[in-house]
Amino acid sequence: MIELATEQKTKPITPRQREVIALIAAGCSNDEVGLRLGISPRTAKAHSDALRQKLGVPRRRQIPIAYRLLTGEDPMPVHGWALGPRPRRR
C-alpha cells in the first residue's frame, strides 16, 4: 500500500515537477525526460527523487499514482508535448 505524504508536510509541486510527472506517467525514462525538457538525465533523476520524497513513495513508477491520489488531477495532459512522439537520440 502506498502511504502518501500529506499536503501539510510537503512543499507544493512546482510547474517543472508537474512536467516531470507527466513525462513519467507517459512512460519516459530519465534520459527521455531530459531530452524533452532540455535538462540532463541527472537533473531529471534529481526531480524524480525530490518528487518521490514529496509524495512519500519508494518507487519512481508510483509518482503519477501518488500525484493523482493526492491532488485528484490526472498526471497526463490530454493534449501537449508529453503525448507527442519521442525525440530521437543523436
Side-chain angles (χ1 to χ4, degrees):
M1 176 178 225
I2 297 174
E3 192 172 313
L4 297 176
T6 62
E7 289 184 74
Q8 293 81 18
K9 291 182 185 176
T10 61
K11 294 181 182 179
I13 293 172
T14 67
R16 186 58 145 192
Q17 288 173 332
R18 177 65 184 84
E19 292 175 330
V20 172
I21 292 168
L23 290 169
I24 292 170
C28 293
S29 67
N30 286 331
D31 287 342
E32 292 168 328
V33 170
L35 282 173
R36 289 178 184 261
L37 298 181
I39 59 178
S40 73
R42 187 173 177 174
T43 301
K45 183 181 182 321
H47 281 301
S48 176
D49 291 344
L51 284 164
R52 283 188 313 101
Q53 197 166 28
K54 280 185 178 184
L55 295 170
V57 294
R59 293 196 164 79
R60 183 181 186 273
R61 65 182 172 204
Q62 295 171 324
I63 290 171
I65 298 164
Y67 177 79
R68 184 173 196 151
L69 290 172
L70 187 65
T71 65
E73 297 176 24
D74 187 353
M76 296 239 341
V78 176
H79 300 286
W81 50 263
L83 299 178
R86 293 183 177 184
R88 293 179 182 234
R89 294 179 188 246
R90 295 179 193 185

